[in-house]
Amino acid sequence: MKQNIKKILVTGGAGFIGSHTVDLLVENGYQVVVLDSLKPPTHNGKIPKWLNKKAKLIKGDVREKKDWQKALRGVEAVVHLAAYMDYHPDFSTYVQTNIESLTILFEIIVEEKLPIKKIVLASSQAVYGEGKYRCKNHGVMYVSPREEEQFKRHQWEQFCPKCGKEVVPVSEKEEDILFPLAPYGLSKQSSEQFVMALGRAFSIPAVALRFSIVLGARQSFRHFYSGALRSFAVNVSNNEPIEMNEDGNQLRDFVHVKDVASAILKTLEDSEANFGTFNVGSGQATRIIDLAKIVAKQSRVAFNPLLQNRYRAGGARHSVMNISKLKSLGWKPQRTLQEAVADYILWLSNFKGFHNNLRKTEAEMKKTGVLKEY
């Protein structure tokens, strides 16, 4: 059943996923308010050219109550996408941005008795951590994160703790036990718990969407902590070998940003999604090295890989999503990985001077111990 909502607030609406979501909401006849700080590293302080002119922009911070109050005037639903992500060492910022912002939202709703009919929260595949694996001898199990000594031996795969045999990943389902490995995933797990508990307490339907790795145009090139596509695109544009972590055989689920926007719209409109948690991905497992090959092909250059035995601390070996729950509502991904890569490379071609950002970010990651090499 479609819910009667006319005016929607999108936090982080000038960003990557947010701006595509705003476009789709406007296209479907909604009035849209955007709350965005426009701060680095995602932005440069300026309003991006791609922000929909039909949306009302309020420049503000989701950590500030007064900014929320201004943005919530006349609003009937909230799509909360603003977040602090990646692997930065300022751990308190994850709590302030990803958890406290949500509690501030509910404080205002309760204090001012706002008629909010629904909240859609952006969560992440990061809440699963290493996830589940299957051993031929011992069945399905949760495994511990890989240890430093294993990385030093360049043993990238996961192994059964009982028999020592290599195990294979099992696609993540919403009912799995969550073992986030980093502050971002921990903060998203907590934000899910808050939105569901407070939503039920105050009869405000809530939805949590666990995004896999989202790709496409408008993805910020100012930070590369979790951006394989962005890194690979810089490599090929510099005529450099494509640098990959581990052995390049990590499995990931890549989904087009426009499919993510359509998932947000679907769960916003459909009351069957109320108080549900949903994986949002392609449902397809792709090896990192195959993503690199697609980038090379789309860029019309020879595939030239560089494997340096480096790795990212706190990273899962494989992450594969099961999206059957969301598909049961009538949603399904419409676009291919090739389309997502092509869209990003075409968009990136409009900019200059972004190449140095990659080396700067890599240096920061090595300094803080996030990126290591043996």
Side-chain angles (χ1 to χ4, degrees), residues 109 298 370:
I109 292 173
Q298 294 281 1
V370 173

Side-chain angles (χ1 to χ4, degrees), residues 102-110 119 194-195 198-199 202 204:
L102 190 61
T103 60
I104 293 171
L105 167 61
F106 275 98
E107 285 178 6
I108 297 169
I109 292 173
V110 174
I119 298 172
F194 267 105
V195 79
L198 294 178
F202 297 101
I204 303 170

Side-chain angles (χ1 to χ4, degrees), residues 227-237 242-245 288-289 291-293 295 299 310 358:
L229 172 58
R230 287 168 284 179
S231 300
F232 297 169
V234 170
N235 290 151
V236 297
S237 66
I242 298 179
E243 301 176 59
M244 285 167 276
N245 295 339
I288 292 295
I289 197 166
L291 172 66
K293 291 176 181 177
V295 172
S299 303
R310 71 180 189 184
L358 175 59

